[in-house]
Amino acid sequence: MCGIVGYIGKRNAQEVLIKGLRRLEYRGYDSAGVAILSDKVGKRPSRLQIEKRAGKLGILENILTQKPLAGNLGISHVRWATHGIPNTKNAHPHWCCANRIALVHNGIIENYEELKESLIKEGHKFRSQTDTEVLVHLVEKFYQANLEEAIRRALKLVRGAYAISVICKDEPDKLVGARCGSPLIAGTGEEEGFLASDIPALLDYTNEVTLLDEGEIAVLTPRGLEVQNLKKDILNKEKIKISWDAAQAEKEGFPHFMLKEIHEQPRAITNTLMGRISEDKEKVLLPELKSLEKFFASMEKIVIISCGTAWHAGLVGKYLIEEFARIPVEVDIASEFRYRNPILNDKTLVVAITQSGETADTLAGLHAAKNSGAKILSICNVLGSSIPRESDAVIYTHAGPEIAVASTKAYTCQLAVLYLFAFYLASLKNPSYFTKPHSLKDYLTNLENIPAKIEEFLNNKDNKKVIRQCTRRYHRSFGFLYLGRSLNFPTALEGALKIKEISYIHAEGYGAGEMKHGPIALINPHLPVVCIAPGDSVYEKMLSNIEEIKARKGIVISVATEGDKFISHHSNHVIYLPRINPVFSPFLTVVPLQLLAYYIAAKRGCDIDRPKNLAKSVTVE
Ligand code: F6R
C-alpha cells in the first residue's frame, strides 16, 4: 500500500504534493519521491526534475526545502515496499529511458518479470528492482504524442493491481491517472486538477472528488477532468461531496484504524495471494522459495517461531503443514525458544512469522536457529526489515502498513501465506494428498474465494446486530472465555488476546477439550463464553462443550455456519459465517472476534489504536 499525489494547475506543485503526501503517510513510509516538470524559461525547454529518498517523508522534505523544484505539474509518492528493498533507487517516481515520462504506482504488477525480460531485449534500461518500472518503459514504448493512449496500450499488457499517475514532458498540460484494483481519486478546482490515492490528500484544496472505478483512466488538464475507459469511451462520472475532515478521512471515515484494517482484510488477502496461484489454479507459485528447493528434499522437521498474534498464525500453520504435507511441525513462542535448548540441525527449517520484522525475541530466536545450522524462512509484512534480511528466504504478506497496535489484517495475511506454503510443501512432499476427492485446484479456488466470503460477512447487517447486542450486554463483564478446537483452537487464543489488549478485560482462550481439566470451574451466569463452532470435523465435540456450559448456566456466544439452526437452540447469541470449506474457517471465524473486541473496547472508551503499555513493534526484550 503506497500513497500517490498528482497536481496540475497554477499553484506551486511541490507544495501541493508534499502537503498531500503528509496526509497519506499512513499508507507507507519507507521512501518518498516527487517528479516536477520545470517551467519553460526563454529558450530552455521544460524538463523532468526528480528527487527521491529512502526513509521517511521528512528526509525528502528537507532536501526540497533547501533545493526547491519549481513547476506547476507534478506527481509524487510515499512507498510501502513490496518488490525491491526500500532504498532510493527503488523509490518512486520511475522514469523512462529518454527522461521524458515519469510514473508513480501503488499496487503489484504480477507479470512484471516476463514484461521486464522482453523490454530489456528491446533495449530498455532498468534502474530499479521494482515491478513498477516495467510500467514506465511500457508507456514509453507505446508513446506517440498522446500520453493516455500510450497508458491504455501499456495497461492492456499488465496483470495485477495498480493505481498510477503519469506525466510527460512533451505534454506539459496533462496529468494522467489510471486504476485497476488499487484506489485512485481525482479532484478539480479552478483551472487545476488533482489525483490521489485517498481523499485526505485533496481536502485542503477541494471537497468534491470523483472516484475512479476499475479500468478507468483520468485525464486532467487546466480545463478539467475527463474520465475514459480502456475502450476509449468517455464516461460521465458523478462528483461526490466529502463531509469528513482530514483526520477522519485518513481512516476512510472509520473512527479507528483498527476498524478500517478489519475491513481492509479482503483486499489485503487478495494482494497477498496475487501472483502466487497459477492461472489454471493447478499450482502454488512461490519463486521466493527457489533457493530452498534442494533443501526441502532432505528437510525432516519444521519449527515455527513467533510472538503474540503471529504465534497464533503459526499454530494454524502447524495444523495445515502436518495435515497436507505430513511434515512434523513444532510451534514455539520465540521468547521460550531462544532460552531453551531446541533440537535443530541442517535438516530443520525454522519459520519466523512476524508482521514488523523487528520483534526482538523472534530475531534472537532466528540467530539461535542459524547457529545450529537450520535454514530460515521468514513470513513478514515489512520489506527489508531485520528478520527478512537475515533469512535464507522470505515470503512477504502484502497487508500494507498496519497502524493499529492490535494486529488484524496482518494475521489473516499470515494465514494466507501459511495456506499457500502448506499446499506448496504438500505438492513437493506429499503429492498423493491431492488425489480425488482432494484436488489442489479445488483448494486453491477456495482460497482465492476467501476475500469475497469475508466481504460477505462484513456486509451482513444481522451479524453486526448480534455483535452490537453482545457489546451492550457484556462490555462490563469481568472476563471472557474463548473455546475452539482443531484449526480454531488458535482462533480462540487470538479472540482472547484481541479483547484483552484493547478492552483490558481479562480473557482466556482454550482448546475446548481442555475445559473439563480446569476452566469449567469458572462457568457461571455472568461469564460470556465464545464458542467457535463452524461445521467442521470437530463440530459435534464443540456442541458437547456448549451443552456443558449451558448446563452450568454460562452465557454462550456461538460463532457458527449459516443455516445451523441447531446451535441457536443451545446458545444465547449466534454469529453466522458464510458457508465455506471448513479447512479455511480460521480466516472467517477470527473476524467476528476482532469486531467483538473492537466494539467492546469502543463502548468502554478505550484508546483502541494505541492500547496502554503496548507498542506496535516490540524491539526490546
Ligand atoms: C497483537 C499483536 C502482537 C504481535 C506481536 C508480534 O495484536 O499485534 O501480539 O503479534 O508483538 O509482532 P510481530 O508480528 O511484529 O513480530
Side-chain angles (χ1 to χ4, degrees):
M1 192 158 94
C2 308
I4 289 176
V5 186
Y7 177 72
I8 185 163
K10 289 188 185 142
R11 297 176 203 257
N12 174 313
Q14 178 180 309
E15 272 173 28
V16 178
L17 298 178
I18 294 296
K19 206 165 172 185
L21 288 184
R22 271 258 163 263
R23 300 241 188 252
L24 296 186
E25 241 189 325
Y26 75 90
R27 298 179 65 83
Y29 34 74
D30 58 39
S31 53
V34 297
I36 292 175
L37 195 67
S38 69
D39 295 329
K40 220 168 147 185
V41 185
K43 282 194 184 149
R44 211 174 68 209
S46 51
R47 64 191 170 86
L48 275 181
Q49 317 165 92
I50 294 177
E51 197 62 76
K52 50 188 197 171
R53 283 293 183 277
K56 293 202 167 155
L57 179 59
I59 298 175
L60 175 74
E61 221 178 329
N62 281 343
I63 289 169
L64 291 174
T65 314
Q66 284 158 30
K67 271 175 61 188
L69 304 180
N72 313 103
L73 170 64
I75 53 175
S76 63
H77 191 263
V78 274
R79 179 167 187 244
W80 175 262
T82 58
H83 292 73
I85 56 164
N87 60 17
T88 298
K89 267 202 179 132
N90 290 334
H92 301 207
H94 294 283
W95 65 97
C96 69
C97 298
N99 292 352
R100 184 158 68 166
I101 300 164
L103 175 147
V104 290
H105 165 226
N106 167 31
I108 299 167
I109 303 302
E110 265 181 64
N111 56 339
Y112 82 99
E113 280 180 282
E114 53 195 84
L115 291 170
K116 186 168 176 175
E117 213 178 288
S118 65
L119 284 161
I120 289 173
K121 276 194 197 132
E122 289 167 22
H124 289 264
K125 298 264 180 304
F126 281 73
R127 303 175 181 95
S128 76
Q129 305 157 314
T130 61
D131 53 335
T132 300
E133 204 184 339
V134 297
L135 286 172
V136 75
H137 291 285
L138 275 180
V139 175
E140 174 174 48
K141 171 177 162 158
F142 294 120
Y143 187 73
Q144 286 173 338
N146 183 331
L147 187 55
E148 63 272 29
E149 182 53 28
I151 291 173
R152 195 180 347 262
R153 292 183 64 187
L155 294 183
K156 283 187 180 156
L157 300 181
V158 162
R159 260 199 338 267
Y162 54 78
I164 56 172
S165 179
V166 196
I167 55 174
C168 173
K169 83 177 164 82
D170 297 352
E171 295 180 77
D173 62 347
K174 206 183 263 181
L175 167 68
V176 185
R179 126 163 222 182
C180 177
S182 302
L184 192 67
I185 56 168
T188 45
E190 199 150 310
E191 293 184 37
E192 62 182 353
F194 308 84
L195 282 173
S197 302
D198 201 354
I199 293 163
L202 307 189
L203 283 181
D204 287 313
Y205 309 100
T206 177
N207 63 353
E208 277 195 348
V209 301
T210 303
L211 308 179
L212 297 184
D213 289 310
E214 307 304 3
E216 290 182 352
I217 297 179
V219 183
L220 287 142
T221 65
R223 295 172 297 287
L225 165 70
E226 185 178 284
V227 181
Q228 316 171 354
N229 61 18
L230 289 178
K231 288 190 275 174
K232 289 195 203 176
D233 305 317
I234 295 180
L235 308 171
N236 208 349
K237 298 279 293 184
E238 191 195 345
K239 278 188 184 168
I240 293 173
K241 211 170 181 106
I242 304 296
S243 54
W244 309 330
D245 64 25
Q248 278 173 313
E250 257 180 26
K251 296 175 192 141
E252 286 171 11
F254 289 104
H256 298 94
F257 280 109
M258 182 179 173
L259 192 59
K260 174 174 176 255
E261 286 161 6
I262 291 171
H263 283 81
E264 269 171 11
Q265 290 180 107
R267 163 74 24 219
I269 298 169
T270 302
N271 284 344
T272 300
L273 295 177
M274 192 174 286
R276 288 172 167 164
I277 296 176
S278 64
E279 274 191 79
D280 59 9
K281 317 262 187 289
E282 302 272 8
K283 235 179 136 183
V284 175
L285 307 173
L286 288 172
E288 302 85 330
L289 300 183
K290 190 125 199 77
S291 63
L292 291 180
E293 252 169 32
K294 258 201 199 133
F295 162 80
F296 285 142
S298 60
M299 177 177 73
E300 286 176 354
K301 158 173 114 167
I302 295 176
V303 180
I304 300 179
I305 57 170
S306 41
C307 304
T309 289
W311 175 60
H312 302 152
L315 291 172
V316 178
K318 173 184 167 72
Y319 281 91
L320 299 175
I321 296 168
E322 290 189 341
E323 166 69 17
F324 293 113
R326 306 302 296 155
I327 301 164
V329 182
E330 292 170 23
V331 189
D332 232 328
I333 298 169
S335 53
E336 288 298 316
F337 175 86
R338 65 183 288 194
Y339 291 119
R340 69 180 175 90
N341 194 2
I343 301 169
L344 309 169
N345 58 35
D346 61 2
K347 293 192 168 50
T348 313
L349 176 73
V350 171
V351 180
I353 307 178
T354 169
Q355 186 284 129
S356 62
E358 301 294 348
T359 302
D361 284 321
T362 311
L363 188 58
L366 179 154
H367 290 152
K370 258 188 167 175
N371 289 338
S372 69
K375 289 274 184 228
I376 315 288
L377 166 68
S378 54
I379 296 174
C380 184
N381 196 39
V382 182
L383 208 119
S385 52
S386 304
I387 290 172
R389 280 210 309 270
E390 299 206 27
S391 304
D392 296 292
V394 195
I395 309 177
Y396 283 105
T397 49
H398 297 310
E402 194 178 58
I403 294 180
V405 164
S407 191
T408 53
K409 61 175 180 169
Y411 175 70
T412 41
C413 287
Q414 286 161 355
L415 293 186
V417 167
L418 286 162
Y419 277 83
L420 287 171
F421 184 51
F423 293 141
Y424 169 91
L425 283 180
S427 313
L428 283 185
K429 307 278 280 186
N430 188 27
S432 59
Y433 190 91
F434 297 122
T435 42
K436 275 191 175 154
H438 306 287
S439 90
L440 178 57
K441 187 172 182 164
D442 280 351
Y443 282 117
L444 294 177
T445 308
N446 276 307
L447 182 58
E448 271 196 337
N449 208 15
I450 290 298
K453 293 288 178 184
I454 298 179
E455 194 85 64
E456 187 183 327
F457 173 78
L458 289 169
N459 290 335
N460 183 315
K461 293 208 173 75
D462 293 338
N463 284 323
K464 280 207 180 118
K465 258 191 226 154
V466 180
I467 294 171
R468 295 251 187 213
Q469 191 182 43
C470 293
T471 301
R472 277 195 303 277
R473 292 218 186 143
Y474 309 123
H475 70 278
R476 289 206 186 87
S477 296
F478 285 110
F480 271 72
L481 187 59
Y482 287 74
L483 300 177
R485 282 176 179 258
S486 182
L487 278 165
N488 284 299
F489 160 49
T491 315
L493 299 179
E494 178 60 6
L497 178 63
K498 285 292 88 101
I499 203 160
K500 211 179 308 198
E501 65 183 332
I502 61 167
S503 72
Y504 319 134
I505 296 177
H506 180 68
E508 290 275 5
Y510 259 94
E514 271 291 289
M515 201 175 59
K516 55 182 142 330
H517 300 289
I520 200 163
L522 294 171
I523 306 294
N524 67 43
H526 307 290
L527 180 76
V529 185
V530 179
C531 298
I532 306 158
D536 56 8
S537 59
V538 287
Y539 174 72
E540 307 270 310
K541 304 275 168 208
M542 277 307 300
L543 281 187
S544 310
N545 294 122
I546 290 173
E547 296 290 352
E548 285 158 14
I549 300 162
K550 286 310 291 173
R552 285 156 187 84
K553 301 198 165 44
I555 303 160
V556 174
I557 304 171
S558 291
V559 176
T561 305
E562 65 189 4
D564 182 351
K565 296 239 167 58
F566 187 73
I567 208 160
S568 62
H569 304 309
H570 302 263
S571 313
N572 300 70
H573 311 271
V574 186
I575 303 167
Y576 284 111
L577 306 171
R579 195 170 287 281
I580 52 166
N581 177 337
V583 93
F584 296 101
S585 61
F587 282 109
L588 281 183
T589 47
V590 76
V591 181
L593 309 193
Q594 296 168 342
L595 287 170
L596 184 65
Y598 172 82
Y599 284 113
I600 288 182
K603 186 92 181 153
R604 289 163 69 93
C606 301
D607 186 352
I608 294 181
D609 286 338
R610 282 182 303 260
K612 64 183 181 200
N613 308 336
L614 290 175
K616 186 67 191 160
S617 183
V618 187
T619 53
V620 289
E621 214 186 320

